[in-house]
Amino acid sequence: MSGFDEQAVSELTAGDEAFERRLRAALAATVADVELAPLAGAAVLADRRAPRRRWVASGIAAAAAGALVVGGGAATTPARGGSARPAPATAGGPRETLFGVSVGWLPDGLARYGQTVITAKQQAKPWYLQTVNFAIDGDVDRARATGSYYSMMVLRPSTASPVPDVDAWRERETQSDRNLEGLSETFERVTVNGRDALLIRAEIGSEVRSAGMPAGSGQIQTPRVAYSLYWRVDLAGGGSVGVGVGGPDRAAVQRIAESVDADGPLPGPADRATAAAQIRAAAQTAFDGTRELDMLTALEDPQRLRPPLESALATDRDSVRKTKFLGFEDWADRDTEVMFLSATEAVVGVRVAAVAPPGTVSSVPTGDESTAIETDLRFVVVDGEWKLTVMSWCSITQFAVPGCPMQ
């Protein structure tokens, strides 16, 4: 799918104490930005304006990493100000294709306005969850304020382990929301095209906050009711995919779900192995500070980044040269596989050493004063070659390369 909302690459850990702590911190620290989407619960607290930068260091996690639970931001269709407008939804045929899953029907007038990708870790096995929102009002801010928008999510595993079934999803939702005051949920077993499904009715109060926090410390909401459906599709060729649809109208949510075709092949290019090799090579080149300007050859828009990089090399070459590729993130003792979102978009987890703000102490040895960062990088196809996006590069190099564009 095009127009991937890069700043939304985020991490969500559920089902353990860390998730609860992160959710409390996010609700306390990001009151102005947290949005509870129609797909209520842990899976889609995801529409914030900061890239995921999980710094493995002490002292800057909260300041530099942004929220660990929520993500969102400017892409080809930004929704930042009161006048922001969504991009028109595709007309005719499947209205959208998300992570290889097509949607055949959407309510009249819907327009896409936000996308996210989340790496959800459960027992050291990651799932990749991609979401998209559709506004039914011309103004995105109005749709957000009133809850008059729909959401869809697609959950795919990176290993042979299946995504959650209906029972596991209910447990996940229950655990993640049990300490939220102002949000109540009821669950109902239904079907979607003959498959077992879970219908969640979420009643959202005027304020949603972590249990035990004082009134006024949470996210102010317009009181409303939202519905969501989740079901799992076990694929004929092996593997599974989880699908969720949410919105303010139960009948419309059901109809959208019934129009979904999740039985298609995995998204990605025809030659996945070659593409993955190109992506890995680009990641290594982009974060080898000793290459200096040659790092730009691995980026989608090198001319845009040349001026700030040249300036940084002229004023503080040592900081730039401390950028170092440390390897790909390990999931269950194995390298992260490249996750293809479409034939021209992909995400991969990496570890990179880079200069951090003064006073930062890294908890992972890097061999110099730089800080180890774990993050997800996005790659796109440019003139037939896989390249790292500007925002992915700048999210790591921003302190060594002042003026690096973040959108």
Side-chain angles (χ1 to χ4, degrees):
M1 155 173 266
S2 61
F4 166 51
D5 196 341
E6 161 122 30
Q7 285 185 316
V9 176
S10 180
E11 177 191 11
L12 179 63
T13 302
D16 55 25
E17 294 181 2
F19 171 76
E20 181 176 339
R21 291 195 301 270
R22 291 175 182 183
L23 183 56
R24 286 175 181 268
L27 286 171
T30 61
V31 170
D33 293 326
V34 173
E35 173 183 343
L36 283 174
L39 283 164
V44 287
L45 283 171
D47 204 342
R48 179 171 161 75
R49 299 290 177 260
R52 175 183 176 237
R53 297 184 302 274
R54 183 157 52 86
W55 297 78
V56 186
S58 60
I60 66 166
L68 290 173
V69 177
V70 289
T76 55
T77 56
R80 289 179 174 271
S83 62
R85 299 281 171 169
T90 304
R95 297 289 294 274
E96 290 288 343
T97 299
L98 182 71
F99 224 156
V101 173
S102 63
V103 184
W105 180 86
L106 292 169
D108 290 340
L110 247 63
R112 183 180 65 244
Y113 78 85
Q115 300 171 61
T116 69
V117 171
I118 299 171
T119 304
K121 291 193 296 184
Q122 185 80 0
Q123 298 176 349
K125 296 176 181 178
W127 306 321
Y128 293 89
L129 186 151
Q130 190 173 5
T131 73
V132 63
N133 294 331
F134 304 98
I136 58 176
D137 295 310
D139 191 295
V140 168
D141 288 341
R142 181 179 170 223
R144 285 174 162 170
T146 61
S148 56
Y149 61 97
Y150 289 81
S151 296
M152 179 182 170
M153 72 175 187
V154 176
L155 180 65
R156 290 190 181 273
S158 70
T159 67
S161 300
V163 299
D165 61 12
V166 167
D167 291 329
W169 191 257
R170 174 171 178 168
E171 178 64 20
R172 182 181 174 87
E173 292 291 297
T174 301
Q175 290 293 323
S176 63
D177 294 336
R178 63 181 176 178
N179 288 314
L180 287 179
E181 295 180 349
L183 173 66
S184 61
E185 294 180 325
T186 58
F187 303 91
E188 180 182 348
R189 297 292 285 266
V190 296
T191 61
V192 172
N193 292 327
R195 291 186 171 100
D196 194 22
L198 179 68
L199 176 69
I200 304 175
R201 180 186 184 275
E203 189 165 347
I204 303 168
S206 59
E207 182 187 16
V208 178
R209 65 181 186 275
S210 184
M213 293 179 66
S217 62
Q219 170 64 47
I220 305 301
Q221 300 282 341
T222 300
R224 60 184 181 269
V225 173
Y227 298 88
S228 65
L229 272 170
Y230 173 82
W231 69 102
R232 187 177 78 182
V233 178
D234 295 317
L235 303 174
S240 61
V241 57
V243 185
V245 175
D249 182 83
R250 174 173 176 167
V253 167
Q254 182 75 37
R255 185 173 175 184
I256 295 171
E258 297 285 351
S259 78
V260 167
D261 180 5
D263 293 296
L266 286 172
D271 188 348
R272 300 169 70 90
T274 297
Q278 291 177 358
I279 287 169
R280 289 172 177 270
Q284 293 168 330
T285 298
F287 296 109
D288 182 355
T290 63
R291 292 175 179 256
E292 299 187 352
L293 287 175
D294 284 345
M295 287 189 290
L296 299 181
T297 61
L299 306 184
E300 65 170 333
D301 190 355
Q303 296 310 312
R304 185 181 179 199
L305 289 169
R306 181 175 292 275
L309 181 55
E310 287 180 338
S311 176
L313 288 169
T315 57
D316 190 0
R317 176 174 263 100
D318 287 345
S319 290
V320 175
R321 292 177 66 86
K322 289 173 183 174
T323 304
K324 180 166 51 179
F325 187 81
L326 300 178
F328 296 95
E329 281 191 335
D330 292 327
W331 301 113
D333 300 323
R334 63 202 276 285
D335 284 343
T336 300
E337 292 182 355
V338 174
M339 175 55 65
F340 291 101
L341 307 178
S342 71
T344 58
E345 298 169 295
V347 175
V348 65
V350 299
R351 296 187 303 275
V352 177
V355 169
T360 300
V361 179
S362 177
S363 61
V364 176
T366 62
D368 51 38
E369 301 86 353
S370 60
T371 297
I373 306 165
E374 292 183 349
T375 191
D376 289 330
L377 302 178
R378 185 171 81 97
F379 293 81
V380 295
V381 174
V382 178
D383 296 330
E385 296 185 18
W386 286 92
K387 301 288 186 178
L388 179 67
T389 63
V390 168
M391 193 175 299
S392 282
W393 193 75
C394 289
S395 69
I396 291 178
T397 62
Q398 58 181 303
F399 297 112
V401 184
C404 203
M406 293 298 297
Q407 62 181 14

